[in-house]
Amino acid sequence: MSLTLRTISREQHLAYIQSLPSASHCQVPAWADVKTEWRSENLGWFDKNGEIVGAGLVLYRQLPKIKRYLAYLPEGPVINWHAPNLDDWLQPMLAHLKQQGAFSVKMGPPVVIRRWDSAAIKSGIQDPDVKRLRDVEATHIEPRAFEVADRLRKMGWQQAEDGGAGFGDVQPRYVFQVPLANRSLEDVLKGFNQLWRRNIKKADKAGVEVVQGGYEDLAEWQRLYEITAVRDHFRPRPLSYFQRMWTVLNSEDPNRMRLYFARHNGVNLSAATMLVVGGHVWYSYGASDNIGREVRPSNAMQWRMLRDSYAMGATVYDLRGISDSLDETDHLFGLIQFKVGTGGEAVEYVGEWDFPLNKLLHKALDIYMSRR
């Protein structure tokens, strides 16, 4: 299969994404407008008939003082990763990025390698010898994903080290998903653990209501998000980031980003942002106040978001990143514990991969990043 690669318009890129069942929200053209500190380019792969068969959003970050760039394709490119001729897809991309002044390429193949259902994770948590998710036998292994990893290694790609946490600017390697395809909403609710079901009932009894918000409610979102940042010791993004995100994503597709609030007696207690691309829905950012936790607003809000996703015809509700630590003393353990309650599954991707086009500059970047 002879493939050609060239820069495409945003319209072509979006049309291609819309022709697929789904793609990562980090690979839609409007994501470039969210990440304003990067320069961007839309790439398209064409077959010999001139049909578009793949696309990628590339973000370029300039090195301090010199005109060389790190080229990053978050959770992309959107190509046929299981094609036997993976070289024919990736070599033209590397050649093109080198021409654009890239000294290193980072990408995140959207290829799932393993899945663990809730029962497997729970038994792992209860086993004192198990400290990490990868120590638990997976419920499902995708053999073709190992072939992809082998091919990448043979081509000279190097697996990026994320230390298992998978947080920060780099996309998470481990995520938690609730599958919705071929299940009734009743099945989904039955899959929740007792505590989750009890908390959903408790919120309902207490009169917690979950509502959708709009652009004008982002300041209220920011208030709850900054309370969360203080409590959980992370640096919050500014309000302008979420305003920009809302504007650019929803101008690309009016249903791309949603905002939810769970409120009690007229007071907003928790909030969340949701992203939608085709049949894939992500719970993107979450926030909650320090008060009103006893009425379980977060459980009520997740259940509403799940129901809305189901009504949209989504095939998967994605609760995004988890750490792979099953150690109860780990500060990130609460996150997996909360998400496991939904009866979904932990999913491991093949992770992010680097290709040093200029080994010296790539090494310099590594040193620079490790000092930050």
Side-chain angles (χ1 to χ4, degrees), residues 4 40 42 89 151 156 161 172 202-203 223 234 252-253 264 293 295 325 332:
T4 51
S40 67
N42 308 78
W89 291 81
R151 283 196 191 125
E161 278 308 312
K202 200 174 195 173
R223 180 185 74 83
F234 65 84
E252 177 175 276
D253 179 327
H264 186 240
R293 297 187 146 205
V295 295
S325 173
L332 291 169

Side-chain angles (χ1 to χ4, degrees), residues 84-95:
N85 60 334
L86 199 51
D87 283 48
D88 297 354
W89 291 81
L90 297 179
Q91 290 307 348
M93 180 181 88
L94 288 174

Side-chain angles (χ1 to χ4, degrees), residues 122-135:
K122 274 179 214 152
S123 68
I125 291 170
Q126 282 153 7
D127 184 340
D129 296 331
V130 168
K131 292 283 178 245
R132 301 210 161 271
L133 196 52
R134 61 187 82 155
D135 301 334

Side-chain angles (χ1 to χ4, degrees), residues 5 23 53 104-105 107 120 123 189 226 240 259 275 279 285 349 361:
L5 175 120
V53 288
S104 186
V105 181
M107 66 175 183
S123 68
L189 185 60
E226 285 178 11
S240 57
L259 177 63
L275 298 175
Y285 284 85
Y349 285 90
L361 286 177

Side-chain angles (χ1 to χ4, degrees), residues 62 310 323 326 328 336:
Q62 191 174 343
Y310 190 87
S323 142
L326 297 183
E328 298 189 19
I336 192 166

Side-chain angles (χ1 to χ4, degrees), residues 249-271:
L249 292 178
N250 287 335
S251 62
E252 177 175 276
D253 179 327
N255 198 33
R256 185 76 84 222
M257 181 176 174
R258 290 183 175 199
L259 177 63
Y260 286 85
F261 291 98
R263 56 173 66 143
H264 186 240
N265 296 334
V267 179
N268 292 316
L269 297 176
S270 61

Side-chain angles (χ1 to χ4, degrees), residues 37-39 59-63 68-72 103 169 372:
E37 68 277 27
W38 300 69
R39 180 167 72 82
L59 302 174
Y60 293 97
R61 171 70 72 88
Q62 191 174 343
L63 266 187
R68 300 303 292 278
Y69 303 87
L70 166 69
Y72 182 33
F103 67 88
D169 233 354
R372 286 183 69 181

